[in-house]
């Protein structure tokens, strides 16, 4: 539609342009024409006009800039009309204008940018900041101020910084409004926040109080209290005035206005009633670093404006835009460029031709555009240059808080460092740090004249009572139950909910609504789904946090751990003659016996050549090995070890024996003193592999889990409604086991000691309170539950309602010591024995090689090999010669033992 409107305008002007020459023409070399399009009755229009004229004077006062040429800037007043703005642009192009400053609005920029693409005349705007005005589509359109994309990113960072999650956006129904709010929604989503509602207002000139009031009424009834206002000055101030009358500027609300409000605050004085309506509002102002040049211009402003209007940052951008064009023209002329234009004939593809002789193309437009994009200078707004996406370097904003005495700065935002209380230009001297701990803002005085940060949301529909769904249980009434057929409820879950509510920093009005017929336990999935259907605002009870439920609601932090377990009948194991074998498994007994024999054999090999205790006839040696081996079990071995390797092996083995003896004694004591129970069901695996029937609690998620996750046929499942039905079904054999959550099972076992938990929990979950998806109340309740856990209140409530102790059940299988528990000890002992044997045989080979005869000839090599092996075995079996020193020590040792034996016998005779 914009292009059709432009084409219609061109056709109207075509008749008046036929008198112009069709040949190429050249402008007066002494004057360079620049156009500017603004609505001069707006704040930015007035400020821009003054700043542009000041910049024109400054440029023309320095002949070095344009080599004696003069800038001629003609300002066209579009008077809030897109049609008049286009007419003004066409007039400029007919007057051989080389660049246009403006337009003021993004809607007009979209239209004129198409024209600029055709005639190669650059458009420079510092107020048309729609993020969709991209250089790919509009190469001749240049934004000389940060686009609204950066402003929306700053607002999203602020919302994330304060921990809010849902935002309402109020915006004008035009290009910058729609596109800006779209960008805001995207930036909020990146920070796990969202736009919960978009309130659309008519354009600035047509917004009526009645329409705005209707939107404010809708917003007031919603949950979110964070409101972003993205519009223009006239509509924005009207919104605040009406919001104050609706009591929406009170405590609990947060209002964030885009840069239009800071422009108003900087430029015009506000009436007292308007000032009061914006107290506590946050707004953004484009940040420009302090400099001597900027300070000098601020000092000139009162003289330039005659005190008619205050200077705002867009006045600085207007001044710099003129200088940007001037510097680009200086470079253009230094490159020997000439201001020349050529006619452009627009010919349609049909039978009729449209000849617009007045529409001429700037021959040096591409060159001038390139010079503008290569600009690198310092202006009133700081460094001026354009990146690859034509955005200014490190765009930043000052965050302003409106207070009773005016306004004050609470910090800054930049795309380099995020939120800070230090000016961005100082932070740019340091490495970028966008971590959460590095984001800071000063305290804010919020609406309602409070410094307490609003939580950002309220319960919808103006604080009506929350409808809390509670399961109307018929079993395990200690968890949750109805009181005397009334609407009142009590129990473990209810007391935790009430304790958490008390910790919230705000009042919550709620009522409990029972769910179920009171005859059977209700379906918990149906209870949770009632939240999704808006029947309940929340659900409180023993609600397990499982996957299918988390898809439709949000849960709080679990307030108790839970998980599915198997309960089965058990029989007491009676003591028998072989009870002493129970501490070890058969495998453990076998490995232990093997190591006794293995270690005894290793010690015999190591001691055989040097120790007389390990020598003698073969039968005697076998008896010696067996006696030595098993006597180490009681540390009663009489044989002494004399070789170093034998002593090392024996020390390691005695340590292993000590551990095995201690473990056996402890386990046997436990087995003989604690009741032992057994059952053919050892856990969920044995239950799955069998074909027995399985019981489950009515309403529990256990049935779905068993069928969908463990693939147990539905016909094997038996619904049970109460602990009494559990006991009857298990005793009669109707079911082989019951699968239920641990808290229920612990209560059941406190009264039924014939049953026991078999195996471990085969799922891990917990119980939580359910709320609608995205509800901030769930977050606050989670925080309260964590506080209850930390201060011990959660445990106290658990002991009050669920303190009954279950029977002391011990499984014989659990008491048996497995081989795996001693694997490390046996491994150490085995490696030690192997290394000792290896060292011993290497030593024997070395000694044998010294005493062996010379190698035999080839003829008798085979026969000598067996003889040599026999000789080696005889050598190993020989008694090793003992040196005099060793012999002396041996005799001393034997005499010492002999003396101790004699002394012991004498003492026994004396006692007798």
């Amino acid at each position: 539609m914009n292009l059709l409107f432009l084409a219609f305008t061109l056709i109207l002007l075509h008749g008046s342009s036929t008198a112009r020459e069709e040949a190429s023409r050249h402008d007066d070399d002494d004057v360079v024409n620049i156009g500017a399009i603004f609505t001069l009755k707006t704040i930015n229009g007035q400020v821009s006009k003054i700043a542009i004229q000041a910049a024109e004077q400054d440029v023309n006062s320095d002949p070095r800039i344009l080599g004696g040429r003069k800038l001629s800037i003609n300002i066209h007043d579009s008077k809030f009309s897109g049609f008049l703005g286009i007419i003004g642009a066409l007039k400029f192009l007919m007057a051989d204008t080389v660049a246009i400053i403006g337009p003021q609005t993004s809607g007009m920029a979209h239209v004129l940018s198409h024209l600029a693409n055709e005639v190669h005349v650059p458009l420079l705007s510092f107020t048309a900041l729609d993020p969709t005005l991209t250089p790919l589509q509009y190469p001749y359109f240049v934004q000389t101020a940060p686009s609204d994309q950066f402003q929306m990113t700053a607002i999203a960072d602020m919302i994330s910084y304060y921990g809010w999650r849902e935002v309402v956006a109020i915006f004008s129904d035009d290009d910058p409004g729609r596109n800006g709010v779209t960008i805001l929604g995207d930036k909020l989503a990146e920070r796990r926040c969202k736009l919960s509602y978009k309130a659309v207002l008519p354009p600035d000139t047509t917004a009526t109080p009645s329409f705005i009031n209707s939107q404010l009424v809708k917003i007031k009834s919603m949950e979110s209290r964070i409101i972003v206002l993205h519009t223009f000055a006239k509509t924005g101030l009207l919104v605040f005035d009406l919001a104050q009358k609706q009591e929406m500027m009170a405590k609990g609300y947060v209002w964030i206005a885009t840069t239009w409000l800071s422009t108003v605050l900087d430029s015009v004085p506000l009436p007292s009633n308007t000032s009061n309506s914006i107290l506590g509002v946050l707004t953004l102002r484009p940040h420009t670093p302090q400099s001597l040049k900027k300070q000098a211009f601020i000092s000139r402003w009162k003289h330039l404006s005659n005190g008619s209007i205050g200077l705002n940052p867009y006045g600085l951008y207007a001044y710099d835009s003129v200088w940007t064009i001037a510097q680009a023209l200086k470079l253009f002329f230094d490159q020997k460029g000439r201001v020349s234009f050529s006619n452009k004939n627009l010919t349609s593809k049909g039978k009729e031709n449209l000849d617009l002789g007045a529409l001429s193309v700037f021959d040096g437009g591409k060159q001038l555009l390139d010079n503008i994009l290569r600009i690198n200078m310092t202006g009133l707004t700081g460094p001026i240059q354009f990146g690859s996406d034509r955005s200014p370097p490190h765009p930043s904003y000052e965050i302003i808080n409106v207070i009773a005495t005016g306004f004050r700065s609470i910090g800054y935002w930049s795309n380099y460092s995020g939120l800070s209380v230090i000016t961005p230009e100082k932070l740019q001297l340091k490495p970028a740090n966008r971590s959460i701990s590095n984001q800071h803002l000063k305290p804010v005085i919020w609406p309602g004249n409070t410094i307490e940060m609003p939580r950002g949301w309220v319960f919808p529909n103006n604080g009506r009572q929350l409808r809390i769904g509670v399961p109307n249980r018929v079993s395990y009434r200690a968890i949750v139950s109805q009181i005397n057929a009334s609407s009142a409820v009590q129990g473990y879950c209810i007391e935790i909910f009430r304790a958490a509510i008390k910790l919230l920093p705000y009042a919550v009005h709620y009522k409990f609504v029972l769910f179920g017929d009171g005859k059977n336990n209700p379906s918990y999935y149906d209870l949770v789904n009632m939240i999704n259907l808006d029947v309940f605002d929340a659900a409180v009870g023993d609600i397990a946090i499982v996957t299918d439920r988390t898809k439709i609601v949000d849960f709080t932090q679990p307030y108790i751990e839970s998980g599915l377990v198997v309960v089965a009948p058990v029989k007491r194991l009676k003591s028998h003659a072989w009870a002493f074998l129970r501490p070890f498994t058969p495998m453990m007994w076998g490995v232990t016996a093997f190591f006794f024999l293995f270690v005894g054999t290793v010690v015999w090999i190591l001691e055989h050549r040097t120790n007389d205790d390990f020598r003698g006839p073969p039968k005697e040696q076998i008896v010696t090995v067996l006696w030595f081996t098993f006597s180490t079990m009681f540390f009663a071995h009489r044989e002494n070890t004399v070789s170093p390797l034998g002593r090392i092996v024996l020390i390691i083995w005695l340590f292993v024996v000590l551990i095995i003896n201690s473990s056996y004694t402890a386990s046997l004591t436990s087995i003989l003193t604690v009741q032992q129970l057994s059952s053919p069901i050892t856990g969920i695996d044995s239950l799955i592999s069998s074909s027995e029937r399985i019981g489950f609690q009515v309403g529990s998620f256990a049935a779905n889990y068993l069928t969908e996750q463990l693939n147990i046929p539905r016909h094997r499942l038996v619904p049970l409604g109460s602990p009494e039905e559990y006991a009857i079904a298990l005793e009669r054999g109707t079911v082989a086991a019951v699968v239920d959550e641990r808290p229920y099972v612990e209560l059941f076992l406190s009264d039924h000691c014939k049953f026991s938990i078999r195996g471990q929990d085969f799922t891990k979950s917990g119980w939580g309170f359910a709320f609608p998806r995205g509800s901030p109340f769930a977050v606050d309740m989670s925080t309260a539950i964590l506080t209850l856990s930390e201060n011990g209140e959660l445990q106290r409530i658990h002991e009050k309602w669920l303190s009954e102790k279950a029977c002391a059940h011990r499984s014989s299988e659990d008491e048996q010591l497995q081989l795996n528990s001693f694997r490390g000890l046996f491994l150490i002992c085995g490696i030690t024995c192997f290394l000792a044997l290896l060292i011993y045989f290497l030593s024997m080979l070395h000694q044998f090689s010294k005493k062996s005869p010379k190698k035999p000839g080839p003829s008798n090599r085979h026969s000598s090999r067996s003889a040599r092996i026999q000789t080696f075995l005889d050598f190993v079996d020989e008694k090793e010669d003992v040196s005099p020193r060793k012999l002396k020590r041996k005799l001393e040792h034997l005499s010492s033992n002999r003396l101790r034996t004699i002394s012991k016998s004498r003492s026994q005779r004396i006692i007798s």
Side-chain angles (χ1 to χ4, degrees):
M1 292 299 293
N2 286 335
L3 289 177
L4 291 175
F5 180 51
L6 176 59
F8 176 71
T9 305
L10 291 174
I11 292 172
L12 290 177
L13 293 175
H14 174 58
S16 63
S17 63
T18 55
R20 297 183 59 100
E21 296 180 355
E22 295 182 1
S24 297
R25 58 193 184 278
H26 299 276
D27 190 25
D28 185 354
D29 290 340
D30 295 333
V31 177
V32 180
N33 293 322
I34 306 294
I37 304 174
F38 292 94
T39 297
L40 297 181
K41 288 188 178 181
T42 62
I43 294 174
N44 282 338
Q46 297 176 52
V47 171
S48 299
K49 179 181 178 181
I50 298 170
I52 288 172
Q53 291 174 342
E56 179 185 11
Q57 294 175 3
D58 293 346
V59 170
N60 290 333
S61 65
D62 188 350
R64 296 172 299 175
I65 303 300
L66 299 179
R69 301 174 183 83
K70 298 293 184 180
L71 277 183
S72 177
I73 302 180
N74 299 308
I75 300 177
H76 174 78
D77 186 3
S78 60
K79 299 180 180 180
F80 299 98
S81 171
F83 178 80
L84 293 179
I86 294 174
I87 295 296
L90 291 172
K91 287 183 177 180
F92 287 144
L93 297 177
M94 291 169 59
D96 297 341
T97 300
V98 300
I100 296 176
I101 300 175
Q104 185 173 344
T105 64
S106 297
M108 195 184 303
H110 279 281
V111 177
L112 296 184
S113 294
H114 288 286
L115 182 59
N117 291 347
E118 296 296 328
V119 298
H120 297 179
V121 174
L123 298 178
L124 282 74
S125 180
F126 46 86
T127 54
L129 304 176
D130 186 348
T132 63
L133 289 165
T134 61
L136 294 177
Q137 186 177 8
Y138 308 113
Y140 280 85
F141 181 80
V142 180
Q143 292 173 332
T144 57
S147 79
D148 284 344
Q149 176 179 352
F150 299 106
Q151 181 177 200
M152 296 306 168
T153 305
I155 293 175
D157 278 346
M158 291 167 59
I159 291 169
S160 177
Y161 170 77
Y162 287 114
W164 300 317
R165 287 293 173 263
E166 293 190 8
V167 180
V168 172
I170 304 176
F171 62 97
S172 295
D173 190 16
D174 52 19
D175 288 338
R178 289 188 299 269
N179 297 329
V181 169
T182 299
I183 294 293
L184 176 61
D186 294 340
K187 297 301 179 181
L188 288 172
E190 292 174 3
R191 291 153 180 80
R192 297 184 179 182
C193 307
K194 70 175 184 179
L195 279 175
S196 60
Y197 182 71
K198 298 178 183 179
V200 183
L201 302 180
D204 200 38
T205 56
T206 59
T208 61
S210 60
F211 187 88
I212 295 174
N213 259 327
S214 65
Q215 290 286 14
L216 292 176
V217 170
K218 291 181 183 179
I219 295 171
K220 189 176 182 180
S221 65
M222 294 177 183
E223 186 176 272
S224 176
R225 286 295 182 262
I226 313 301
I227 305 172
V228 175
L229 183 56
H230 183 46
T231 182
F232 298 99
K234 179 182 176 182
T235 302
L237 294 176
L238 179 58
V239 169
F240 282 126
D241 182 53
L242 296 175
Q244 186 181 35
K245 294 176 181 178
Q246 292 271 8
E247 298 182 349
M248 295 177 67
M249 301 303 299
K251 183 178 179 180
Y253 282 89
V254 175
W255 288 82
I256 302 176
T258 49
T259 52
W260 67 266
L261 181 57
S262 65
T263 300
V264 172
L265 295 174
D266 286 332
S267 299
V268 296
L270 294 176
S272 58
N273 60 332
T274 303
S275 298
N276 292 335
S277 69
I278 60 174
L279 292 179
V281 175
L282 298 180
T283 185
L284 294 145
R285 171 201 282 162
H287 173 68
T288 56
Q290 294 295 331
S291 65
L292 294 177
K293 186 184 295 186
K294 174 183 172 182
Q295 194 60 41
F297 186 78
I298 293 173
S299 301
R300 290 175 57 195
W301 183 259
K302 187 174 182 180
H303 172 72
L304 293 171
S305 64
N306 293 320
S308 61
I309 194 168
L311 176 64
N312 63 53
Y314 293 105
L316 304 178
Y317 282 111
Y319 184 91
D320 283 350
S321 296
V322 175
W323 272 96
T324 299
I325 295 174
Q327 292 294 342
L329 285 170
K330 180 179 184 300
L331 183 59
F332 175 79
F333 292 127
D334 291 343
Q335 296 168 343
K336 308 302 181 184
R338 296 190 62 189
V339 179
S340 63
F341 296 84
S342 300
N343 284 354
K344 177 82 172 182
N345 289 327
L346 297 177
T347 303
S348 64
K349 294 183 179 180
K351 296 180 180 180
E352 297 181 358
N353 291 334
L354 181 62
D355 185 13
L356 298 176
L359 190 60
S360 55
V361 177
F362 178 28
D363 296 328
K366 181 65 169 62
Q367 184 179 0
L368 179 62
L369 176 65
D370 292 339
N371 290 343
I372 291 173
L373 298 178
R374 286 199 296 266
I375 285 294
N376 188 358
M377 68 178 192
T378 301
L380 301 183
T381 58
I384 300 174
Q385 60 187 87
F386 300 95
S388 58
D389 59 349
R390 298 192 184 179
S391 62
H394 304 308
S396 56
Y397 293 88
E398 185 177 9
I399 303 172
I400 293 173
N401 181 205
V402 181
I403 57 177
T405 57
F407 56 87
R408 65 189 184 98
S409 174
I410 63 167
Y412 304 89
W413 177 91
S414 75
N415 70 334
Y416 180 79
S417 56
L419 299 170
S420 70
V421 295
I422 303 173
T423 57
E425 54 269 21
K426 292 182 180 180
L427 293 176
Q428 290 167 15
L429 303 175
K430 305 176 183 179
N433 186 354
R434 296 294 297 268
S435 63
I436 296 177
S437 60
N438 203 49
Q439 305 298 293
H440 301 288
L441 289 175
K442 295 178 182 177
V444 177
I445 298 178
W446 303 100
N449 196 31
T450 177
I451 60 173
E452 180 183 353
M453 187 188 76
R455 69 175 185 268
W457 64 275
V458 295
F459 296 106
N461 295 331
N462 294 320
R464 63 165 174 78
Q465 281 189 324
L466 287 180
R467 300 159 298 177
I468 308 295
V470 177
N472 191 6
R473 295 193 58 90
V474 297
S475 61
Y476 299 113
R477 299 178 63 82
I479 293 175
V480 59
S481 62
Q482 183 181 14
I483 302 177
N484 298 328
S486 66
S487 60
V489 290
Q490 65 178 2
Y492 170 67
C493 303
I494 302 301
E495 186 163 344
I496 289 179
F497 178 78
R498 286 172 172 157
I501 285 288
K502 292 178 182 179
L503 294 177
L504 298 180
Y506 47 86
V508 179
H509 303 285
Y510 62 91
K511 62 178 179 180
F512 292 119
V513 181
L514 290 168
F515 178 76
D517 57 10
K519 299 177 181 178
N520 297 294
N521 290 335
S523 167
Y524 280 68
Y525 183 84
D526 292 343
L527 171 61
V528 170
N529 195 44
M530 288 296 175
I531 300 174
N532 194 39
L533 298 176
D534 200 31
V535 176
F536 295 141
D537 298 308
V540 171
D542 46 334
I543 307 172
I545 304 173
V546 293
T547 304
D548 59 344
R549 296 172 186 171
T550 58
K551 294 177 181 178
I552 57 176
V553 296
D554 282 348
F555 282 95
T556 62
Q557 174 82 12
Y559 56 85
I560 185 174
E561 291 184 358
S562 180
L564 292 178
V565 294
V566 176
V567 180
V570 290
K571 295 180 180 180
R572 181 173 181 178
L573 292 177
K574 297 181 179 180
S575 181
H576 55 82
W578 302 100
F580 67 91
L581 295 177
R582 278 194 205 163
F584 290 164
T585 63
M587 177 63 74
M588 180 64 184
W589 279 115
V591 172
T592 303
F594 167 77
F595 263 86
F596 269 107
L597 297 176
F598 176 65
V599 172
T601 303
V602 170
V603 172
W604 178 83
I605 293 173
L606 298 175
E607 296 290 325
H608 180 66
R609 296 192 74 234
T610 58
N611 194 336
D612 291 336
D613 292 338
F614 291 89
R615 297 188 65 82
K619 291 183 179 180
E620 183 179 338
Q621 290 305 298
I622 293 175
V623 174
T624 299
V625 169
L626 293 176
W627 166 253
F628 175 81
T629 296
F630 290 103
S631 63
T632 57
M633 183 186 302
F634 310 103
F635 305 96
H637 53 285
R638 294 179 302 174
E639 295 77 10
N640 294 308
T641 53
V642 297
S643 67
L645 292 176
R647 290 176 176 176
I648 292 174
V649 170
L650 186 60
I651 289 173
I652 298 296
W653 174 242
L654 290 177
F655 177 73
V656 173
V657 169
L658 175 64
I659 299 300
I660 292 175
N661 278 343
S662 302
S663 301
Y664 175 85
T665 303
S667 180
L668 183 61
T669 302
S670 175
I671 288 173
L672 296 178
T673 56
V674 179
Q675 180 184 9
Q676 296 297 305
L677 304 171
S678 68
S679 171
I681 304 298
T682 59
I684 188 62
D685 292 332
S686 62
L687 200 58
I688 294 173
S689 60
S690 71
S691 59
E692 300 287 347
R693 305 186 76 186
I694 305 169
F696 68 93
Q697 183 182 174
V698 174
S700 170
F701 75 97
N704 288 337
Y705 184 86
L706 294 174
T707 55
E708 296 175 5
Q709 302 296 326
L710 303 183
N711 298 318
I712 295 177
R714 176 71 66 170
H715 65 81
R716 290 182 55 191
L717 304 183
V718 178
L720 303 171
S722 65
E724 292 73 21
E725 292 185 23
Y726 285 15
I728 294 172
L730 290 170
E731 289 174 351
R732 295 180 178 178
T734 306
V735 296
V738 171
V739 172
D740 206 350
E741 296 179 73
R742 179 172 283 276
Y744 301 125
V745 170
E746 290 178 349
L747 287 174
F748 171 71
L749 294 180
S750 64
D751 296 324
H752 301 83
C753 294
K754 296 179 181 180
F755 313 104
S756 172
I757 295 175
R758 311 303 295 166
Q760 304 298 320
D761 299 24
F762 58 92
T763 66
K764 293 293 183 182
S765 63
W767 292 351
F769 305 136
F771 294 91
R773 293 297 298 270
S775 171
F777 193 32
V779 178
D780 290 351
M781 286 294 288
S782 293
T783 304
I785 290 172
L786 288 174
T787 303
L788 292 175
S789 177
E790 292 169 357
N791 62 22
E793 185 68 11
L794 208 59
Q795 182 61 29
R796 187 196 66 78
I797 297 174
H798 184 276
E799 292 175 355
K800 174 182 177 181
W801 292 96
L802 309 177
S803 61
E804 297 175 349
K805 296 182 179 180
C807 302
H809 291 154
R810 305 289 293 269
S811 170
S812 60
E813 290 86 351
D814 294 338
E815 290 296 327
Q816 284 190 316
L817 298 174
Q818 306 290 328
L819 175 62
N820 192 52
S821 303
F822 301 91
R823 184 172 57 184
L825 287 173
F826 285 129
L827 184 62
I828 293 172
C829 184
I831 291 174
T832 303
C833 292
F834 173 77
L835 292 177
L837 288 176
L838 180 62
I839 295 172
Y840 176 77
F841 280 113
L842 290 176
S843 175
M844 290 297 98
L845 287 173
H846 178 68
Q847 295 180 26
F848 177 71
S849 63
K850 290 182 178 181
K851 298 183 179 181
S852 63
K854 295 181 179 180
K855 295 182 180 180
S859 59
N860 58 349
R861 180 175 299 173
H862 179 73
S863 60
S864 64
R865 181 178 300 169
S866 58
R868 189 172 178 81
I869 292 174
Q870 183 62 44
T871 305
F872 174 73
L873 294 176
D874 294 339
F875 173 75
V876 172
D877 188 55
E878 288 179 358
K879 179 72 170 67
E880 182 180 355
D881 294 334
V882 182
S883 63
R885 182 177 298 176
K886 290 183 179 180
L887 180 61
K888 181 178 179 181
R889 285 203 301 269
K890 178 71 173 179
L891 292 174
E892 289 176 352
H893 180 71
L894 292 174
S895 62
S896 177
N897 288 343
R898 180 64 177 168
L899 288 174
R900 283 199 296 269
T901 303
I902 295 171
S903 176
K904 184 176 181 181
S905 62
R906 287 180 178 176
S907 300
Q908 291 176 348
R909 286 197 298 271
I910 293 172
I911 292 173
S912 301

